[in-house]
Amino acid sequence: MEILFYRYGSVCEPDIIHAFRQTGLTVLEDTTEITNKFISDADRLLSVEQTISRKHPLFLFSINFYPVIADICHIYRTPYLCWTVDCPVPELFSSSIRHDTNRIFLFDQAQYRTFAPYNPEHIYHLPLASAAERFDRVVHSVSGSDQAAFSCNISFVGSLYNEKNPLHALSGLSAYSKGFIQGLIESSLKVYGYNPVEEALADNIIADIKENDAKFFSLKNPVANPDRYVAAHSYIGMEIAQTERIRTLNQLAMHFPVDLFTLSDTSELKNVRTHTGVHTLTEMPKIFHLSKINLNMTIKPIQTGLPLRIFDILGCGGFLMTNYQSELCDYFEIGVDLEAYTCMEELVEKCAYYLSHDRQRAQIAQKGYEKVCSLHTYPHRIHTMIASII
């Protein structure tokens, strides 16, 4: 049986394709968007329709939600399976979310609670997963030169979000809006496991952001007005992510050696050892495996769920130190499978402890690895998704 996988270049796509093939499915790949990042909806629709009409796949799958793909699948009565790996995904406000041919899997419970009422029988909560099998092969290939290049006390691999922050480009915001937003940022950084921004955001601030960006997200006939969601998460959420990551790394670097691997502008960092970005598939797993402490800082738009980095680090046998998220204890045991912090003081204290307790750190890393291998791999998730159309 054949399925069609619509790809845009997400890092987890090859692992999901491999998991589908392990079930015996033949995977046809539409890679148009990988080579044409500015593809129009009309061209996207045409590309998908040509394959559906010729091949009649069992279902179509994509990472994140594409309204135009949902529409064409509905016309052809082909099930459309998609799985979010990002927050925010404002396309979920599209009226196309209501189609009965959809099977929409959302990794964040808050995201699920927002959108499930618009199609309760066809929207599901499904956490992300680990490519532990692939990571094993990379980890087992670690060389002496790899150990010299990638062994760290505390490491962080990822963006500082200064290149992904549209709020910085808005020069026309009023002084009142800027002050209000700064107050929201400071208050949200004091709370772990909860994001107050969307609820607290005033209507006039939303309007000011919208009026100052001609590219502000919009949809025809949405199931609900997306403006509050977009302003809170696509704009202010990105500003919070940038602020939190820079402050956290600077604070840790006052006490410990900290290594950052990134393509972002690092000019605001102090005493952090910065490195260029690394290859996601071949080098990042080695950093996760060789670092004494791997840091995860979940961006605020992921309100309750667990980002992919958590599953990646644990699947590499790495020791994970993550900010607290409300879904964390649904899947892992803090202090057994991983460690978590709820404030900056606790983060510093726990880093100091685990840097000086090698045995306990190694035991926790091993438990975390065993947990993801037994319960949280891509084959586990793929079986859940396929069951939704049987």
Side-chain angles (χ1 to χ4, degrees):
M1 292 184 290
E2 294 179 329
I3 69 167
L4 175 59
F5 195 125
Y6 183 83
R7 300 187 58 184
Y8 72 88
S10 171
V11 66
C12 57
E13 287 173 354
D15 295 314
I16 297 174
I17 290 171
H18 179 65
F20 276 132
R21 287 174 174 158
Q22 284 181 311
T23 69
L25 294 169
T26 298
V27 181
L28 309 173
E29 299 179 45
D30 186 327
T31 60
T32 306
E33 191 160 341
I34 293 179
T35 55
N36 179 12
K37 291 299 182 183
F38 301 100
I39 186 173
S40 67
D41 272 350
D43 288 340
R44 182 181 291 118
L45 184 150
L46 180 62
S47 180
V48 170
E49 183 179 20
Q50 287 175 343
T51 304
I52 292 179
S53 62
R54 286 188 295 105
K55 294 291 188 177
H56 304 287
L58 178 65
F59 61 84
L60 189 148
F61 177 86
S62 75
I63 293 295
N64 294 332
F65 178 72
Y66 289 84
V68 68
I69 293 178
D71 291 341
I72 194 64
C73 284
H74 185 64
I75 291 170
Y76 279 88
R77 304 304 300 168
T78 300
Y80 173 39
L81 280 63
C82 63
W83 188 16
T84 62
V85 301
D86 297 316
C87 284
V89 183
E91 290 81 6
L92 290 167
F93 280 95
S94 168
S95 58
S96 303
I97 197 176
R98 297 187 186 274
H99 294 323
D100 63 352
T101 43
N102 291 336
R103 301 295 185 272
I104 300 172
F105 297 88
L106 307 178
F107 82 99
D108 179 272
Q109 276 279 11
Q111 192 180 55
Y112 168 78
R113 290 194 296 268
T114 297
F115 295 104
Y118 301 114
N119 196 347
E121 294 183 2
H122 299 113
I123 297 179
Y124 314 85
H125 173 242
L126 187 70
L128 299 179
S130 176
E133 179 184 348
R134 174 173 61 80
F135 293 146
D136 281 346
R137 294 193 295 270
V138 178
V139 167
H140 291 156
S141 72
V142 168
S143 65
S145 60
D146 290 328
Q147 291 181 357
F150 300 133
S151 294
C152 307
N153 280 287
I154 300 174
S155 72
F156 180 71
V157 182
S159 171
L160 296 180
Y161 276 84
N162 39 33
E163 77 280 13
K164 302 178 182 181
N165 183 357
L167 196 66
H168 270 189
L170 305 186
S171 58
L173 290 178
S174 69
Y176 178 85
S177 292
K178 292 177 181 178
F180 191 100
I181 291 170
Q182 190 59 41
L184 280 181
I185 292 170
E186 295 301 330
S187 62
S188 69
L189 290 174
K190 293 180 171 60
V191 180
Y192 289 73
Y194 172 68
N195 183 354
V197 174
E198 187 173 356
E199 182 180 355
L201 197 55
D203 290 342
N204 61 321
I205 307 300
I206 299 170
D208 199 6
I209 293 173
K210 187 174 182 179
E211 289 170 6
N212 277 277
D213 194 346
K215 297 180 180 179
F216 193 90
F217 181 83
S218 64
L219 284 170
K220 293 182 179 179
N221 303 315
V223 294
N225 189 331
D227 290 357
R228 174 172 295 273
Y229 178 91
V230 171
H233 301 299
S234 298
Y235 288 80
I236 299 175
M238 299 300 107
E239 177 77 15
I240 296 171
Q242 177 181 338
T243 302
E244 180 175 28
R245 293 189 173 191
I246 290 171
R247 288 186 186 180
T248 300
L249 291 170
N250 281 339
Q251 181 67 26
L252 284 176
M254 292 173 62
H255 304 275
F256 318 104
V258 176
D259 288 83
L260 169 67
F261 299 84
T262 188
L263 294 174
S264 300
D265 176 8
T266 60
S267 59
E268 293 186 70
L269 296 177
K270 300 176 182 178
N271 300 318
V272 177
R273 297 190 297 205
T274 59
H275 311 263
T276 188
V278 292
H279 193 282
T280 302
L281 299 180
T282 60
E283 295 178 318
M284 188 173 71
K286 296 176 182 178
I287 297 171
F288 291 160
H289 184 72
L290 292 169
S291 295
K292 292 182 178 179
I293 295 176
N294 292 281
L295 186 63
N296 173 65
M297 294 174 280
T298 309
I299 63 172
K300 288 291 184 180
I302 302 176
Q303 297 182 72
T304 63
L306 308 186
L308 190 60
R309 184 181 283 104
I310 286 180
F311 295 94
D312 286 349
I313 292 170
L314 296 178
C316 295
F319 177 87
L320 171 64
M321 179 71 70
T322 181
N323 66 289
Y324 177 78
Q325 289 283 100
S326 59
E327 290 185 51
L328 193 61
C329 294
D330 293 342
Y331 311 107
F332 301 105
E333 187 175 350
I334 296 172
V336 175
D337 303 315
L338 46 74
E339 262 298 355
Y341 61 94
T342 58
C343 64
M344 193 66 68
E345 293 76 16
E346 185 179 19
L347 172 59
V348 172
E349 179 181 325
K350 286 190 171 183
C351 284
Y353 178 84
Y354 283 106
L355 286 175
S356 61
H357 289 76
D358 293 348
R359 182 179 176 185
Q360 289 177 313
R361 193 180 66 243
Q363 289 174 339
I364 291 173
Q366 180 63 28
K367 286 290 186 181
Y369 170 77
E370 292 171 358
K371 179 67 68 70
V372 295
C373 288
S374 62
L375 296 174
H376 304 300
T377 65
Y378 284 106
H380 287 109
R381 305 296 191 247
I382 294 304
H383 285 298
T384 298
M385 286 190 277
I386 291 175
S388 72
I389 63 169
I390 295 176

